[in-house]
Structures are given as structure tokens and as C-alpha cells.
């Protein structure tokens, strides 16, 4: 993923749980110096896949190198779950700022 872009990420959850009863979802992107978290209001859901759009401002907060990504969610029965932490690479850009 490049900084300063507007990517759409598709995060497939490997779970037997139904996501029809979600009460809350957090998708967190974390580098060594910054963090961006998207919540249920910001996320699309297609069966077991979360569709996450990031803005230019959000990707500019993430610095070059490794970025950890984790999904946490809570069902309406108050049971909470977390995915494993996965990694994506944040690629550099030559000109800073929103285009």
C-alpha cells in the first residue's frame, strides 16, 4: 500500500462465527509511530469479508515499512474476538501531502 493513496482493502476473516450479529468492529493499522482504526460505521461487510477504505489523510499517517493489521469485533451477545496480527508493507511516496 502506498502512502497518500486511497486503497480499498478486503480482509477475509477465517471464522465459523456469523458476522450478522456484529455490535462493533475495529480494524487497526499500526506502525511504530502511528495508528489508524476504522470502526463498524466505516466498514463494509460481505459475508466473512470486511471491506475497508482508507483516505489519503489516513495513509499519510502511516510511515514507510511494516504495518501491523488486526481485526477485533464484538457480537451482540457481548462475546469479543480478535484476529491474528498480519503485516502489510507501506511504500514511500516522493511528494508528501493530499493531492
Amino acid at each position: 500500500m502506498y502512502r497518500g493513496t486511497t486503497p480499498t482493502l478486503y480482509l477475509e476473516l477465517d471464522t465459523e462465527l456469523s458476522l450478522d450479529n456484529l455490535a462493533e468492529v475495529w480494524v487497526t493499522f499500526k506502525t511504530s509511530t502511528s495508528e489508524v482504526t476504522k470502526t463498524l460505521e466505516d466498514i463494509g461487510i460481505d459475508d466473512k469479508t470486511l471491506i475497508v477504505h482508507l483516505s489519503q489523510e489516513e495513509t499519510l499517517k502511516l510511515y514507510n515499512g511494516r504495518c501491523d493489521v488486526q481485526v477485533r469485533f464484538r457480537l451482540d451477545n457481548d462475546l469479543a474476538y480478535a484476529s491474528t496480527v498480519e503485516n502489510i508493507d507501506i511504500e514511500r511516496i516522493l511528494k508528501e501531502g493530499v493531492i
Side-chain angles (χ1 to χ4, degrees):
M1 175 171 60
Y2 284 90
R3 297 181 66 243
T5 63
T6 56
T8 299
L9 304 171
Y10 297 85
L11 308 175
E12 187 174 341
L13 297 179
D14 185 19
T15 181
E16 296 300 318
L17 297 168
S18 170
L19 301 183
D20 293 335
N21 301 319
L22 285 173
E24 185 58 82
V25 177
W26 293 348
V27 177
T28 301
F29 300 86
K30 188 167 187 166
T31 63
S32 60
T33 58
S34 60
E35 179 181 303
V36 173
T37 297
K38 303 294 274 188
T39 60
L40 183 59
E41 298 80 27
D42 307 316
I43 297 169
I45 301 169
D46 182 12
D47 192 31
K48 306 280 184 184
T49 302
L50 304 181
I51 304 163
V52 182
H53 303 283
L54 294 173
S55 68
Q56 289 184 65
E57 294 86 355
E58 289 167 329
T59 60
L60 285 168
K61 290 179 184 177
L62 303 172
Y63 289 97
N64 304 349
R66 185 177 114 166
C67 178
D68 293 331
V69 181
Q70 185 177 44
V71 177
R72 291 184 57 204
F73 62 94
R74 180 175 51 83
L75 300 177
D76 61 5
N77 62 4
D78 284 336
L79 294 177
Y81 302 88
S83 72
T84 59
V85 176
E86 299 292 335
N87 310 111
I88 58 174
D89 290 324
I90 305 297
E91 301 292 338
R92 71 187 186 112
I93 56 174
L94 297 180
K95 174 73 174 151
E96 286 292 318
V98 173
I99 196 169

